[in-house]
Amino acid sequence: MQKLYKRLFAKDYVSQDLVSKLIPEDATARRQALRSVSPDDGKYAMSSSKLTDYISAEAEWRACALVQKVLLETRAEFGQAEQSNVDEVERALEQIDPLNMALLEEKVTKHDQLAVIDEIGRFVSAKTKALLHPGTTSYDILDTARSYLLRKAWTDVVAPKVAESVRKLCDLAESSADIVQAGRTHLQDTSPVTFGLTFSGYAARLADRLVMARRNFDGLRGKVSGIVGTGASVDMVIGSRKSVEFEKVALAKLGLEPDYTATQVVQKERLTDVGHGLVSLMHVLGDFANDMRILYSSAIGEVTSLDAKKRLGGSSADATKNNPIDWENIAGKVAVVESGMRVLYAMVQTDLQRDLRSSVQGRYQPQAMMAETYESFERASKALDQLHINRDVVSVNLQAVRDNPSEAMVAILRGEGWVHPKHGIGHDFVKAMGKEAKSKGRKLLDVSMGDPDFEALHNALSANKRAILAGQIENYLGSAKERMEKNISYARSKVSF
């Protein structure tokens, strides 16, 4: 019986053994990820991996070594080193091992930047090693390296993914420009909007946040001004009163400007700007995700995913539920990204020229905020590819607005300046007629036409206004198309990089 059981279920058993299908290196990496305390590496490792060249510990070690090379290169330009020294370090950068740097810090130097110098020193002459770290302190190196890496992470990885989502929203807007849906305020049906205007609005809002975030990342600064920010130690190496120019030239090679307010550290207000950019970007994406989640609901059902049939079983209890998994994940991430601001605010504080509080905090933020923002936009981009509008459901839901175009009727009556002899202004008349229509299950116009005063006004209205009141709600879209086009034009212009 046991042999029969194995034979019958062998195929299913093998199909579920996915580990055996991984190459050993991938299996090892995945097992290590499962041991990570951060979900950015554990659950979202595939997305986070695209940022490892920028905001990982390994990336930071390599960037610190790069800054040392840039400083030596600039020192040579100022006549305080030879090109041969620079060449040695350039070759060394191809051989250095970040793991060895970490071990040197842990077991030998007890200091990160001394470990960087010792690791480079393994591959260069003693003379060249002695020329490294020219009057600089550790945070000349580390703060500069982090600003450099954060800007590149944004420019190379995060911003293009945000732009991708914006473009897809623009495409969706154009393809759904004429699909009219019931507008909803306070989760109640009201006058119509188009899916095109909705999608384009979010595209423009995200593009606007992208512009702000780009400006904030561009505002990150570096420093090469020594232990208390006076540049005195750099002057001792480069030459009297040359530290300001030396700093400017060196940082320009990394695409950075100096922070002249720096003490031993680059001041952290600009990191809070970066954080604000990420948080506001995520809040707009989260707003869109939540809207999609609501439209995805059983009660409304106007959108779904093209792969919905394949994804049935999103619930462990109900095998046929089609949950809005991606949109809920994105909406949930907003608070996680926002929580990083508490750390960034704290980093602004430092006792006099420096203390270790921000050193600890800087290992966490805004790196984690960037990883979570990127993961959210990657998820959004994939979900937008699958987003499908259920036109039949949209039409059914819109019928209630056709039968009860109350807001449109109020606007039309206000335009006419009409006052009912009993009920007063148009708003009050529509309110009275609306109550009666709902209680009797009748259309608003049918009930209203029972009033002789309204009937007389109705017959004098333009054909278009009468058509709107009769349920041709497509005529009550105002300048929705023009607004959509403006949104799309703006959004596309901001993501044309």
Side-chain angles (χ1 to χ4, degrees):
M1 187 66 180
Q2 188 175 13
K3 291 182 178 179
L4 176 61
Y5 179 90
K6 287 184 177 181
R7 187 164 63 250
L8 288 172
F9 291 94
K11 183 177 180 181
D12 288 338
Y13 178 77
V14 171
S15 69
Q16 296 298 312
D17 180 15
L18 301 183
V19 174
S20 65
K21 298 177 182 179
L22 295 174
I23 62 174
E25 292 82 357
D26 283 349
T28 299
R30 291 296 186 95
R31 290 191 189 280
Q32 186 61 36
L34 291 178
R35 292 178 59 82
S36 171
V37 298
S38 169
D40 293 318
D41 292 323
K43 192 170 183 65
Y44 308 114
M46 294 305 292
S47 292
S48 299
S49 66
K50 297 180 176 63
L51 286 164
T52 54
D53 288 341
Y54 305 90
I55 60 175
S56 65
E58 177 181 304
E60 200 167 274
W61 283 117
R62 291 191 181 280
C64 287
L66 172 64
V67 173
Q68 290 288 359
K69 192 273 288 190
V70 167
L71 293 177
L72 182 60
E73 183 178 73
T74 309
R75 184 172 182 175
E77 292 172 6
F78 277 68
Q80 300 297 327
E82 302 296 329
Q83 183 59 41
S84 59
N85 303 125
V86 179
D87 294 341
E88 281 187 58
V89 174
E90 286 185 337
R91 290 191 295 269
L93 294 191
E94 299 175 1
Q95 304 173 72
I96 57 175
D97 187 343
L99 177 56
N100 200 53
M101 293 183 193
L103 292 173
L104 284 169
E105 179 193 19
E106 177 186 341
K107 300 181 180 299
V108 181
T109 66
K110 307 300 182 182
H111 190 284
D112 55 358
Q113 298 311 312
L114 293 179
V116 172
I117 294 170
D118 278 1
E119 176 63 8
I120 295 174
R122 293 201 302 134
F123 305 100
V124 301
S125 65
K127 174 62 175 175
T128 294
K129 181 180 179 182
L131 294 172
L132 298 175
H133 214 34
T136 44
T137 186
S138 60
Y139 266 73
D140 286 315
I141 311 304
L142 189 55
D143 272 354
T144 296
R146 284 178 175 166
S147 292
Y148 168 75
L149 288 173
L150 290 172
R151 285 187 64 183
K152 282 187 64 64
W154 167 258
T155 302
D156 296 353
V157 180
V158 182
K161 184 58 67 174
V162 176
E164 180 179 273
S165 295
V166 171
R167 292 189 193 99
K168 289 181 179 182
L169 278 169
C170 288
D171 292 343
L172 278 169
E174 290 170 340
S175 65
S176 62
D178 299 323
I179 301 179
V180 182
Q181 66 172 150
R184 296 176 177 93
T185 61
H186 309 283
L187 297 180
Q188 305 298 306
D189 292 347
T190 187
S191 294
V193 296
T194 64
F195 271 95
L197 181 59
T198 298
F199 289 139
S200 73
Y202 276 109
R205 290 173 65 190
L206 287 172
D208 191 56
R209 296 300 87 197
L210 179 65
V211 170
M212 186 188 81
R214 182 188 303 150
R215 182 172 62 248
N216 293 343
F217 275 96
D218 285 346
L220 291 176
R221 298 287 189 260
K223 76 175 287 278
V224 186
S225 54
I227 193 166
V228 290
T230 64
S233 55
V234 179
D235 279 346
M236 292 298 102
V237 176
I238 305 302
S240 178
R241 304 182 68 83
K242 292 184 178 180
S243 60
V244 170
E245 184 63 19
F246 179 83
E247 179 181 45
K248 181 179 179 181
V249 173
L251 292 177
K253 297 177 188 295
L254 298 167
L256 299 172
E257 294 181 17
D259 176 10
Y260 294 120
T261 71
T263 53
Q264 190 175 109
V265 297
V266 171
Q267 307 299 354
K268 300 302 187 287
E269 299 92 318
R270 293 177 186 272
L271 280 183
T272 67
D273 293 337
V274 162
H276 286 308
L278 294 173
V279 170
S280 64
L281 184 63
M282 278 296 295
H283 267 284
V284 175
L285 180 64
D287 191 22
F288 176 71
N290 197 54
D291 279 0
M292 293 303 101
R293 186 177 73 88
I294 293 171
L295 293 180
Y296 209 108
S297 68
S298 298
I300 298 179
E302 292 184 359
V303 302
T304 188
S305 296
L306 289 171
D307 63 351
K309 293 182 179 179
K310 296 179 182 178
R311 291 202 299 120
L312 288 181
S315 165
S316 61
D318 188 337
T320 64
K321 279 178 68 185
N322 175 24
N323 295 338
I325 298 170
D326 288 316
W327 302 121
E328 289 188 337
N329 268 272
I330 292 167
K333 278 273 192 179
V334 176
V336 178
V337 174
E338 184 179 312
S339 69
M341 288 306 301
R342 176 66 186 89
V343 176
L344 294 181
Y345 287 138
M347 289 171 66
V348 175
Q349 302 297 319
T350 184
D351 288 345
L352 305 177
Q353 278 67 54
R354 186 207 170 189
D355 64 81
L356 280 174
R357 289 174 299 169
S358 65
S359 301
V360 174
Q361 294 153 355
R363 298 167 190 157
Y364 295 89
Q365 299 297 358
Q367 297 91 321
M369 296 169 72
M370 293 184 72
E372 290 147 5
T373 299
Y374 177 80
E375 191 276 329
S376 296
F377 275 93
E378 184 176 58
R379 187 183 290 269
S381 182
K382 292 177 182 177
L384 288 171
D385 287 337
Q386 296 294 323
L387 190 64
H388 175 68
I389 299 172
N390 294 323
R391 290 173 178 258
D392 292 342
V393 177
V394 171
S395 179
V396 170
N397 291 343
L398 188 61
Q399 189 60 47
V401 181
R402 295 186 190 280
D403 294 343
N404 184 47
S406 56
E407 190 276 331
M409 183 180 282
V410 170
I412 289 171
L413 295 182
R414 280 180 170 147
E416 299 297 322
W418 183 69
V419 179
H420 188 270
K422 175 182 177 182
H423 298 292
I425 62 174
H427 181 279
D428 294 339
F429 171 79
V430 175
K431 186 175 183 179
M433 296 299 103
K435 287 180 179 178
E436 183 178 344
K438 288 186 177 181
S439 66
K440 294 180 178 180
R442 298 177 62 195
K443 294 182 179 181
L444 176 62
L445 181 62
D446 292 345
V447 172
S448 300
M449 289 295 284
D451 184 278
D453 293 286
F454 175 82
E455 182 181 18
L457 172 71
H458 175 270
N459 293 338
L461 293 174
S462 68
N464 184 55
K465 289 180 179 179
R466 291 199 305 272
I468 291 171
L469 294 178
Q472 291 184 29
I473 209 69
E474 294 85 355
N475 294 5
Y476 192 62
L477 290 171
S479 55
K481 184 176 181 181
E482 181 182 354
R483 293 170 187 273
M484 179 198 73
E485 290 171 348
K486 288 182 179 296
N487 285 337
I488 292 173
S489 176
Y490 173 79
R492 290 200 187 280
S493 72
K494 301 305 178 184
V495 297
S496 59
F497 55 89

